[in-house]
Amino acid sequence: MTTSPRSLDRLIRPRSIAVFGGKEARRVIEQCDKMGFAGEIWPVHPREEEILGRRCYRSVADLPDAPDASFVGVNRALTIDIIRDLATRGAGGAVCYASGFREAASELADGNDLQEALVAAAGDMPIVGPNCYGFINMLDGALLWPDQHGMLRVDHGVAILTQSSNIACNISMQTRGLPLAYVMTAGNQAQTGLSDIACAVLEDPRVTAVGLHIEGFDSIEALERLATRARELRKPVVTLKVGKSEAAQLATVSHTASLAGNDRVSSALLARLGIGRVDTLPELLETLKLLHLHGPLPSADISSMSCSGGEASLVADAGVRRKINFRPLREEQRRPLKESLGEMVTIANPLDYHTFVWGNREKQTAAFTAMMKGDYALNLIVLDFPRLDRCDAADWVTTCEAVIASANATGAVAGIVASLGENMPEATALSLMAAGVVPFFGIDEALAAAETAAEIGAAWARTVPPPLLKVRAEAGDAVTLTEAEAKAELLESGVEVPRGRTAATPEEAATAAEALGFPVVLKGLGVAHKSEAGAVKLNLASREEVHDAATAMAAVASGYLVEKMVAKPVAELIIGAMHDPFAGPVLTIGAGGILVELLDDSAILTLPTTERAISEAIDSLKVRKLLDGYRGGPKGDIAALTRTVAAAAFYVVSNASKLDELDINPVMVLAEGQGAIAADALIRRRK
């Protein structure tokens, strides 16, 4: 697939639409009429004289002009002919509805060939699909969409893009108060990928934010363009990335590939680019509400208020799973909160304000205002509404009015959270959105939105990252360097390694040990998993011990590496690198030694990286507690560890075209000021 070579503006914001086909084409006209499309619509049909009161044309050549947008709802073979005619006529673009292309290649032998023929027929005319429903533009009432939907006209809102037409249908039916400007599908992305479409809708000044439901990335270059333009326009992008791709081929000689995994690389890549990521469709919609109204958050400091201790506990517990901070109240907030809520209320965050002020708009406003003056990035009020068909919601309306008044008085960002999403009526959600208060459906979803918006804000506050390293590994068989060879190469790049010597025989090993000084480590060369094979011996204190150990491992080793024993470390880490099929070379750091799989504690760095990114990755690890001096223990040399990771990253970048895999495990992080030493290393690279 290639990126769209031509502007999508005419296609997605058309003034004229041509429709090809039978019932699907008729539905497109019906939807455009229903939504008040003001432009021209030209049906094309070989037999019909008119459709829905409009004259039918027999072919592309018969049309009054080159259409801006076309919906091609015919069989797959005829689709190619029509696309070729539209491209020749100078049309603005087309939606290809038919299936039976690459997505059906396992059932239809000509699926791949037909998709290639379709792209060739389009030439430089943009096409969306095939195997897709098209799109809904509710800003202009332009719908190249052959089905029902649940949307209304808006003057501004968010755009949501997906590869799945059914997911698009589902999203169009949301009743959460989210203003949908565009809902668009991409199908097979034969020519135009989701990132290209997203770039096009970002340019619409009426679009506030973009959500992507991604099954597979289209193009790394297009994704980078999208991230760059989103940042320039200050329009955030958030993704729901699903369909975890198969991990890169797992090399049996290292832990690196299993630690990375393509889905974790995807998260690291999106974080680098400043694109948010959520886990569910509800989280996507709730995050887009927040971004639509207020954009990225400047921090993850959150306040929460509810009239129930149970709700306050639910919020607090949900926050444990998120990178948010229920920052304690400031002293200047405590007095006005006490005055408005009474002495029996415990002043805290999250805050249970009890029911003493329930139904009292003046006192509720005073309390909410005091909380919102705390300079929190987001202020949440938990409020589940009663059933409107059976109950009186007057006091709940009073609470909403108090929240709106407090937000207006302080300029703070506020949200009302229904712990059960179905408990907030759509009309209430719409009225809150109109007042600038975010109506959140669900506690977990609200905190996911806050976390994601804060992460985008933090990414935008950092320096723009350099372009990703796009070097791919050369073809050819991979060879594994000996540990001695690997360490020699790493040493040249700045990675500190133990002093050592190689030896061919037990006698030479013993002599080398004497020259280095005891105690030493003896390792058998040419052995992948040394510990399991008995090919590593530690703390050998004499010539005899070295000789005996070398003799014992002679059956599995092709030679020996004798090294000076490293002092007891504060912590052991792993640094690894591998080629991701999409992101290219990536670096992994994490808890090392025997703890690699046990702790599952690692972070991914896309390349090239920066010292700040390395420091943030180290800070994210559980093993960081050891490095900080756990329970009175010595602190680790974090500065040396950072330099070591940077040196390993430099080696990977410098050798990216040939490097297949790097595994440095363990990196022995010594006490503060004493360094970090690569005790073992493995390198696989192409011949």
Side-chain angles (χ1 to χ4, degrees):
M1 190 208 72
T2 59
T3 56
S4 178
R6 188 164 143 189
S7 171
L8 297 172
D9 288 351
R10 289 176 63 195
L11 172 60
I12 67 174
R13 290 181 283 276
R15 295 182 181 179
S16 59
I17 299 173
V19 294
F20 299 79
K23 62 180 181 180
E24 288 81 11
R26 184 183 183 92
R27 289 173 185 163
V28 168
I29 299 173
E30 289 172 343
Q31 293 296 347
C32 287
D33 285 345
K34 186 177 180 180
M35 292 298 116
F37 177 63
E40 296 287 334
I41 300 178
W42 302 322
V44 180
H45 196 281
R47 295 179 301 276
E48 299 289 343
E49 293 300 322
E50 67 172 40
I51 296 179
L52 296 176
R54 290 177 173 84
R55 172 192 168 186
C56 270
Y57 298 88
R58 292 291 177 254
S59 67
V60 172
D62 290 339
L63 292 173
D65 200 352
D68 290 328
S70 298
F71 180 85
V72 183
V74 299
N75 67 60
R76 58 192 188 126
L78 187 54
T79 293
I80 296 173
D81 295 335
I82 292 174
I83 291 299
R84 184 180 299 107
D85 292 343
L86 286 168
T88 302
R89 185 80 192 267
V95 168
C96 300
Y97 175 77
S99 59
F101 292 85
R102 182 158 292 157
E103 85 286 351
S106 59
E107 292 84 25
L108 299 173
D110 61 350
N112 281 324
D113 292 340
L114 278 181
Q115 183 143 320
E116 291 176 5
L118 178 65
V119 173
D124 66 352
M125 182 187 75
I127 57 171
V128 176
N131 188 34
C132 84
Y133 260 34
F135 64 85
I136 300 171
N137 170 352
M138 274 297 164
L139 300 167
D140 305 304
L143 292 84
L144 275 73
W145 188 259
D147 204 347
Q148 60 183 350
H149 60 87
M151 297 164 60
L152 294 173
R153 288 289 294 268
V154 296
D155 55 14
H156 69 297
V158 305
I160 301 183
L161 287 61
T162 172
Q163 289 169 251
S164 167
S165 299
N166 203 56
I167 293 295
C169 288
N170 298 343
I171 290 170
S172 83
M173 303 297 175
Q174 62 89 27
T175 58
R176 296 167 175 259
L178 177 65
L180 296 172
Y182 290 92
V183 169
M184 315 183 81
T185 64
N188 287 7
Q189 304 182 86
Q191 180 217 66
T192 307
L194 277 176
S195 298
D196 288 312
I197 301 173
C199 284
V201 296
L202 270 181
E203 298 296 335
D204 193 322
R206 301 166 293 179
V207 169
T208 54
V210 173
L212 301 178
H213 168 252
I214 301 175
E215 296 171 22
F217 292 120
D218 47 0
S219 155
I220 189 67
E221 292 81 8
L223 192 64
E224 284 186 302
R225 281 199 306 273
L226 172 60
T228 299
R229 194 62 180 139
R231 188 167 177 155
E232 290 170 350
L233 294 172
R234 313 307 288 177
K235 295 183 180 183
V237 177
V238 60
T239 64
L240 169 57
K241 172 69 171 64
V242 298
K244 296 180 180 180
S245 55
E246 292 183 8
Q249 185 177 1
L250 182 60
T252 58
V253 294
S254 84
H255 302 285
T256 300
S258 59
L259 277 181
N262 284 18
D263 194 61
R264 298 193 64 228
V265 173
S266 295
S267 291
L269 173 61
L270 293 169
R272 175 194 185 98
L273 296 177
I275 295 176
R277 184 177 187 183
V278 295
D279 294 326
T280 67
L281 274 176
E283 287 178 6
L284 179 66
L285 299 183
E286 299 305 309
T287 303
L288 285 171
K289 283 188 208 172
L290 175 58
L291 296 175
H292 166 74
L293 284 178
H294 301 291
L297 297 180
S299 76
D301 290 347
I302 308 298
S303 78
S304 175
M305 299 179 73
S306 64
C307 67
S308 159
E311 291 172 340
S313 297
L314 286 174
V315 173
D317 286 351
V320 172
R321 302 188 293 273
R322 298 288 176 185
K323 297 175 184 176
I324 58 171
N325 177 33
F326 289 113
R327 197 196 67 226
L329 292 153
R330 293 172 175 170
E331 283 304 315
E332 59 266 27
Q333 294 175 273
R334 293 181 177 276
R335 182 176 176 181
L337 281 168
K338 279 287 186 184
E339 289 176 349
S340 58
L341 298 177
E343 293 299 321
M344 295 179 64
V345 174
T346 301
I347 305 302
N349 182 28
L351 173 62
D352 167 19
Y353 64 84
H354 293 251
T355 56
F356 304 127
V357 297
W358 183 248
N360 186 324
R361 176 174 170 175
E362 182 179 350
K363 288 194 173 184
Q364 281 188 319
T365 301
F368 297 156
T369 298
M371 180 64 87
M372 292 185 197
K373 284 184 176 179
D375 197 28
Y376 293 98
L378 177 62
N379 301 271
L380 302 177
I381 292 83
V382 182
L383 187 67
D384 279 57
F385 296 80
R387 291 181 58 127
L388 299 184
D389 58 341
R390 300 175 184 173
C391 306
D392 181 2
D395 287 344
W396 284 261
V397 173
T398 297
T399 303
C400 290
E401 292 171 348
V403 172
I404 293 169
S406 299
N408 289 337
T410 60
V413 177
I416 290 180
V417 184
S419 62
L420 296 176
E422 63 269 23
N423 286 357
M424 185 180 292
E426 183 181 20
T428 300
L430 290 169
S431 66
L432 289 173
M433 289 290 286
V437 173
V438 188
F440 287 114
F441 285 43
I443 291 172
D444 286 336
E445 288 79 5
L447 298 188
E451 178 184 51
T452 305
E455 287 177 341
I456 296 173
W460 283 7
R462 293 192 289 267
T463 304
V464 177
L468 278 162
L469 186 66
K470 299 179 179 66
V471 177
R472 295 294 183 260
E474 295 177 359
D477 295 333
V479 296
T480 302
L481 304 187
T482 68
E483 182 180 344
E485 292 169 336
K487 285 181 172 175
E489 291 201 358
L490 291 171
L491 181 62
E492 289 184 5
S493 293
V495 176
E496 187 176 354
V497 300
R499 289 192 299 116
R501 296 184 180 184
T502 57
T505 66
E507 187 67 26
E508 290 180 8
T511 301
E514 283 186 320
L516 289 169
F518 299 103
V520 297
V521 179
L522 178 70
K523 300 178 180 180
L525 295 177
V527 184
H529 298 288
K530 296 182 179 66
S531 297
E532 292 87 337
V536 57
K537 295 296 180 182
L538 307 177
N539 280 313
L540 300 178
S542 67
R543 179 185 179 91
E544 290 73 21
E545 288 184 11
V546 173
H547 190 281
D548 291 347
T551 301
M553 66 178 69
V556 296
S558 60
Y560 306 97
L561 174 62
V562 187
E563 292 181 328
K564 186 70 177 173
M565 187 74 186
V566 179
K568 182 180 179 181
V570 173
E572 297 182 5
L573 276 81
I574 181 174
I575 303 173
M578 59 170 285
H579 273 273
D580 179 78
F582 184 76
V586 295
L587 203 69
T588 304
I589 62 172
I594 63 172
L595 301 179
V596 174
E597 280 88 3
L598 186 63
L599 285 187
D600 188 25
D601 179 26
S602 61
I604 306 292
L605 287 164
T606 50
L607 299 175
T609 190
T610 63
E611 184 174 324
R612 177 172 177 171
I614 292 170
S615 296
E616 290 176 351
I618 293 172
D619 290 344
S620 73
L621 300 175
K622 301 170 190 173
V623 76
R624 175 63 199 255
K625 291 182 179 179
L626 286 176
L627 297 172
D628 285 336
Y630 187 64
R631 292 193 173 182
K635 291 185 177 181
D637 197 334
I638 297 174
L641 173 61
T642 303
R643 291 194 299 272
T644 301
V645 176
F650 174 78
Y651 176 82
V652 174
V653 170
S654 301
N655 297 274
S657 64
K658 293 185 178 296
L659 186 66
D660 192 58
E661 195 170 359
L662 168 69
D663 206 67
I664 309 173
N665 182 34
V667 175
M668 314 285 268
V669 183
L670 305 180
E672 196 169 24
Q674 296 181 22
I677 301 175
D680 199 356
L682 178 144
I683 292 174
R684 282 168 58 85
R685 66 182 180 202
R686 303 293 171 176
K687 292 181 181 178

